Amino acid sequence: MAFVTHRAVRSLSSSAVRSAAIQHITVIGGGLMGAGIAQVAASTGHSVVLVDQSEDILKKSQKGIEDSLKRIAKKKFADKPEAGSEFIEKILKNVSISTDAGSVVHSTDLVLEAIVENLQVKRDLFGGLDKFAPEHTIFASNTSSLPITDIANSTSRQDRFGGLHFFNPVPLMKLVEVIRTPMTSQKTFSALLEFSKALGKQPVSCKDTPGFLVNRLLVPYMVEAIRLHERDHGSKEDIDLAMKLGAGYPMGPFELLDYVGLDTSKFIIDGWHEKDPENPLFAPSPLLNKLVAEGKLGKKTGEGFYKYK
Ligand code: 3HC
């Protein structure tokens, strides 16, 4: 399918762009979140360069984007498969790939990072790119739980630095948390809010606090469900069913833990526990720790709280 080189994509898509300020974006990290963000940005007429460390990873990201677009096209163009193929082709043309972030950020309006949740690795990345990106370029992190301020401090553009936190699966989830630090300028914050709307998402404004809004509520809820199960107050299946049918959630907490990744959830809760050990909401869960130690990380490894084919 029609993924194109970085050079060609600039001219192909600029006329279709909807966001006035942010038109060209560089997404660093070709995992599930990065690929999802790239897909949504390309689908809304932005030109996107997706960057990761190897061609192999990027090939997998491209395949993931294409598969997701096929699922969308199948529904959207149920009676017109040809229109569906055209729809996919057009979007794929807006995405190019690169393994060299430094060489692509010179012409980008926004660098959006969705790499490993490691503060030092993120600081090294942004600190390095700060020297290559133009003055006007905004930097943003999709971190789920690290302080944006601590990442922004690695650059000399703290006023042009914020958070853009997306939710899995990115093509379907309508929310984006837009995070401002005390140093984020109003101009940057407004540009990030506008960009989120241009992606067809609904933004909410967040301060740079642990877990922002969603994860601060969602992660303790999921870990509390594990504790409930550890106390033998209910089976996983019953707790999931209870929350789906009794509270209208699309997935129960154990299904969602498997979907998000047990390692991700553990990383978030452990980080908060380290900073605030007295808070019972952040207490580690022996069962979560055991499953992660066994490599049972959820859907992505074929087993977490449940087994997957
Ligand atoms: N791309 C495109 N379309 C997709 C898709 C994807 N990745 N995933 C699902 N769909 C669409 C497809 O049309 C699919 O139909 P298909 O299977 O025939 O192609 C349709 O949705 C239905 O999907 P499913 O049958 O798999 O299941 P559901 O109806 O339950 O929908 C769901 C899936 C949207 C994921 C829904 O279960 C849901 O909303 N779950 C909750 C997700 C959630 O809470 N996410 C937030 C997690 S927290 C987070 O991300 C923050 C981080 O920092 C930790």
Side-chain angles (χ1 to χ4, degrees), residues 17-292:
V17 163
R18 287 167 55 196
S19 168
I22 295 173
Q23 302 183 341
H24 180 275
I25 76 163
T26 301
V27 178
I28 317 270
L32 209 56
M33 296 305 284
I37 296 166
Q39 177 185 330
V40 170
S43 302
T44 47
H46 299 82
S47 72
V48 185
V49 184
L50 184 58
V51 179
D52 211 311
Q53 286 170 339
S54 77
E55 295 276 342
D56 275 357
I57 299 172
L58 288 165
K59 292 242 160 68
K60 277 189 198 141
S61 320
Q62 289 178 321
K63 171 89 172 46
I65 293 174
E66 204 175 318
D67 288 348
S68 174
L69 288 172
K70 279 182 184 161
R71 290 173 82 175
I72 293 168
K74 200 176 82 188
K75 294 239 158 85
K76 203 170 167 169
F77 302 96
D79 304 328
K80 300 179 202 150
E82 273 178 27
S85 302
E86 268 174 43
F87 162 85
I88 296 171
E89 279 290 319
K90 200 172 159 205
I91 294 169
L92 294 183
K93 278 185 184 157
N94 286 345
V95 185
S96 63
I97 54 170
S98 171
T99 52
D100 182 7
S103 75
V104 296
V105 295
H106 61 80
S107 56
T108 200
D109 301 318
L110 172 71
V111 176
L112 180 42
E113 163 273 315
I115 61 169
V116 61
E117 285 285 84
N118 178 307
L119 181 61
Q120 196 52 50
V121 176
K122 287 183 197 286
R123 284 177 56 85
D124 290 347
L125 172 77
F126 279 117
L129 293 182
D130 198 24
K131 299 172 189 72
F132 292 101
E135 274 293 302
H136 81 280
T137 304
I138 295 175
F139 284 3
S141 173
N142 177 58
T143 180
S144 9
S145 66
L146 296 171
I148 302 291
T149 306
D150 292 355
I151 308 171
N153 283 346
S154 63
T155 71
S156 59
R157 62 178 81 212
Q158 288 104 324
D159 57 322
R160 282 150 288 149
F161 206 117
L164 277 180
H165 184 221
F166 291 81
F167 297 86
N168 191 19
V170 180
L172 298 195
M173 302 305 280
K174 288 284 173 214
L175 187 75
V176 179
E177 290 179 322
V178 182
I179 301 113
R180 72 188 304 170
T181 77
M183 287 97 74
T184 308
S185 72
Q186 185 54 45
K187 191 176 166 199
T188 299
F189 190 59
S190 300
L192 292 175
L193 287 170
E194 277 314 305
F195 175 64
S196 307
K197 289 182 198 160
L199 295 180
K201 303 288 184 198
Q202 176 70 54
V204 288
S205 304
C206 297
K207 299 207 170 124
D208 191 16
T209 56
F212 318 124
L213 299 179
V214 173
N215 280 344
R216 179 62 181 78
L217 293 170
L218 191 60
V219 176
Y221 149 75
M222 294 194 293
V223 179
E224 190 58 20
I226 306 175
R227 282 194 267 271
L228 203 65
H229 176 52
E230 282 174 315
R231 290 199 298 270
D232 200 24
H233 289 184
S235 68
K236 299 178 298 238
E237 292 79 6
D238 277 356
I239 295 171
D240 276 347
L241 198 64
M243 293 314 291
K244 284 192 283 190
L245 301 188
Y249 287 20
M251 288 176 171
F254 294 98
E255 291 169 333
L256 191 54
L257 279 157
D258 279 357
Y259 190 69
V260 165
L262 270 50
D263 50 341
T264 305
S265 306
K266 176 175 156 52
F267 178 84
I268 295 173
I269 207 83
D270 285 355
W272 294 345
H273 177 66
E274 209 179 298
K275 287 197 173 146
D276 189 359
E278 302 306 319
N279 191 333
L281 289 177
F282 303 157
S285 150
L287 181 53
L288 181 64
N289 289 347
K290 177 176 173 289
L291 290 170
V292 172

